[in-house]
Amino acid sequence: MIQTKNLQKIYRTEEVETVALDEINLEIKEGEFVAIMGPSGCGKSTLMNVLGLLDNPTNGQYYFLDQEVAHYSERQLANLRKSNIGFVFQSFNLIDELTIYENVELPLLYQGVSSSERKTMVSEVLEKMEIAHRKKHFPQQLSGGEQQRAAVARAVVGKPKLILADEPTGNLDSARGEDVMKQLAMLHSEGAAIVMVTHSAAYAEYSQRIVHLFDGHIVTS
């Protein structure tokens, strides 16, 4: 599903050059659950942005679903992204002015899914995430754990091939964090590939493989 070859991401200003990712060689198979770990500033979020087609690498090759996408235009990346990738962020990123139902429905609107199909798909995923009883509420009316389950529902409603989760439990207490991890494990058991950034060794154990980053390099995978 994913393969990178000698991937680099370099940030340049007039005075400073920062190598955020250096010679990253990584392969992630369909249906695999991979955790990415490492100290703050080691390149984890930069790698997630590149893998999620939110940013282009500076050098190297990136194959996503057998397409070499390293130098795709933003429009090409957006089209590939919206049909194949779901994102779960530490800060939830729900839209306060929309109900939970409307937040979860949003990706399907971008994909042009019909009204009747949207209703079925949103209702199914809200039930699966055990948050259907909150569908008419607004994000600020929910607990942190409920907001993150809604964010997961939004990420997976379109049945993407890949779920990218960047510190999905970072703003949650241990009980609610464990709940979110169980939801991700369930989605993985149903066939989704998951790449998750985490600082928690306990949550990383949910994955099949742990990739350790340090100073922009993969040190173990």
Side-chain angles (χ1 to χ4, degrees):
M1 169 175 274
I2 283 174
Q3 186 176 23
T4 71
K5 297 181 179 179
N6 302 320
L7 201 71
Q8 284 188 317
K9 182 63 183 180
I10 301 171
Y11 296 101
R12 294 185 175 96
T13 66
E14 289 184 4
E15 300 177 354
V16 179
E17 179 176 283
T18 303
V19 181
L21 298 174
D22 194 14
E23 301 295 320
I24 297 291
N25 291 288
L26 179 65
E27 186 171 357
I28 297 169
K29 298 176 181 177
E30 288 192 21
E32 192 174 15
F33 191 159
V34 176
I36 298 176
M37 300 189 74
S40 296
C42 71
K44 299 188 302 296
S45 292
T46 301
L47 179 57
M48 289 289 272
N49 285 340
V50 172
L51 295 183
L53 310 179
L54 296 171
D55 200 359
N56 283 316
T58 307
N59 298 303
Q61 296 171 295
Y62 176 26
Y63 293 88
F64 181 73
L65 298 177
D66 295 324
Q67 300 181 56
E68 216 288 61
V69 300
H71 302 293
Y72 268 25
S73 68
E74 175 51 40
R75 181 180 295 240
Q76 289 173 304
L77 293 175
N79 287 334
L80 197 56
R81 189 169 60 233
K82 70 182 181 182
S83 302
N84 295 290
I85 303 175
F87 296 90
V88 183
F89 301 97
Q90 177 178 343
S91 56
F92 315 141
N93 284 11
L94 298 170
I95 299 173
D96 289 339
E97 294 76 20
L98 300 181
T99 65
I100 294 305
Y101 183 98
E102 291 166 339
N103 267 281
V104 174
E105 182 185 36
L106 201 56
L108 301 180
L109 289 169
Y110 290 136
Q111 292 177 29
V113 177
S114 70
S115 176
S116 59
E117 284 183 288
R118 291 200 308 271
K119 185 175 181 179
T120 299
M121 293 168 75
V122 173
S123 296
E124 285 179 354
V125 78
L126 289 174
E127 288 287 348
K128 182 182 290 185
M129 293 296 121
E130 300 177 357
I131 202 156
H133 63 295
R134 293 294 218 169
K135 66 181 181 181
K136 294 183 180 180
H137 290 74
F138 291 92
Q140 58 267 37
Q141 296 175 302
L142 274 60
S143 70
E146 289 172 327
Q147 288 188 61
Q148 192 58 297
R149 275 189 279 155
V152 173
R154 181 187 57 191
V156 304
V157 66
K159 300 179 180 177
K161 297 178 176 67
L162 174 65
I163 300 168
L164 296 179
D166 194 352
E167 291 284 357
T169 61
N171 285 333
L172 306 176
D173 61 35
S174 57
R176 291 181 173 86
E178 194 72 29
D179 180 44
V180 168
M181 289 308 305
K182 288 177 180 176
Q183 300 287 358
L184 289 175
M186 176 189 67
L187 294 167
H188 172 243
S189 71
E190 294 174 354
I194 299 176
V195 180
M196 175 183 70
V197 164
T198 182
H199 280 104
S200 168
Y203 294 152
E205 289 299 319
Y206 278 86
S207 71
Q208 297 168 298
R209 179 162 59 102
I210 301 174
V211 174
H212 289 273
L213 283 184
F214 187 78
D215 286 349
H217 296 274
I218 291 177
V219 291
T220 60
S221 60

